[in-house]
Amino acid sequence: MTSDDRVGHSLRAPSRLHSFNRYEIKYLVPSERIPELRAEIAGRMDSDSHGTSGGYGVWSTYYDTRDLRFYWEKIEGLKFRRKLRVRHYGDRTNVGDDTEVHVEIKQRVNRVTQKRRIALPYRQARELCDHRRMIEHDASQKAFVDEVLELISLLDLRPVAMTGYQREAYVGRDSDLGLRVTFDHRIRGRDRDFDFAAEAVNRLIVPARLSVVEFKANERVPYWLTDLAARLNMSVVRVSKYCQSVEAFGKAPRSVFHIPDHENAEV
């Protein structure tokens, strides 16, 4: 059985590896418009069970090559591209060795976004991604762990940027099962001190007056939601929080997709 066959088999079989495909549409929305949009969304969708009381923090450390291969694949719009990240949901200041995080490969195949990830204690995630060592894992996770280790070792990946933001999330109900809408506020980043709990300064990488809104669906975004976006004059944007962070800290020239950051401040 080839490596590709093993990966395909592991995704079809019941396992502790979480994977899914979806379509994503992103919008850049003035924060002052969010209450109106929130009211409309809340009338048709349910709040994510983890996103009550103002939402939750999402923190991600992104890995890339010395010449930023993953960054340039995104900027150039390659039909197949991917990136590796370690992600934590919640308050980063409380992250310790035993805190659960997710090691995730996010890839794009034509217009479809695919994610594969496993949950690990932060200590093990660092062993795998930073120290390039095989870790103890469930048998169902073997293909994914092997792929991550091979990707890191062959491409000489290292931490490049961190992003963080406050997320509100809504999930579809009834005929909209599988639909998800997220509002991401106060989008920050840093280019060093990549331990989640490090006492490091994070800087706004998107002006505070703007929020990133995403519509995510397994098959298609329902008409009522695209009609709502049109009614509120929401414009589709091509934005990547990772690329935004890379450019904000001068690791690459500002691309045509960069959101001007003249309002940035330390937070």
Side-chain angles (χ1 to χ4, degrees), residues 99-103 118-122 124-125 128 135-136 141:
T99 302
E100 181 181 272
V101 300
H102 292 86
V103 175
I118 56 173
L120 293 172
Y122 192 31
Q124 283 192 301
L128 177 64
I135 59 171
E136 292 184 7
Q141 300 172 331

Side-chain angles (χ1 to χ4, degrees), residues 164-183:
Y165 43 89
Q166 193 72 8
R167 167 165 286 181
E168 297 179 66
Y170 296 86
V171 294
R173 55 177 181 250
D174 302 327
S175 61
D176 291 330
L177 289 178
L179 177 65
R180 184 173 173 84
V181 174
T182 58
F183 305 160

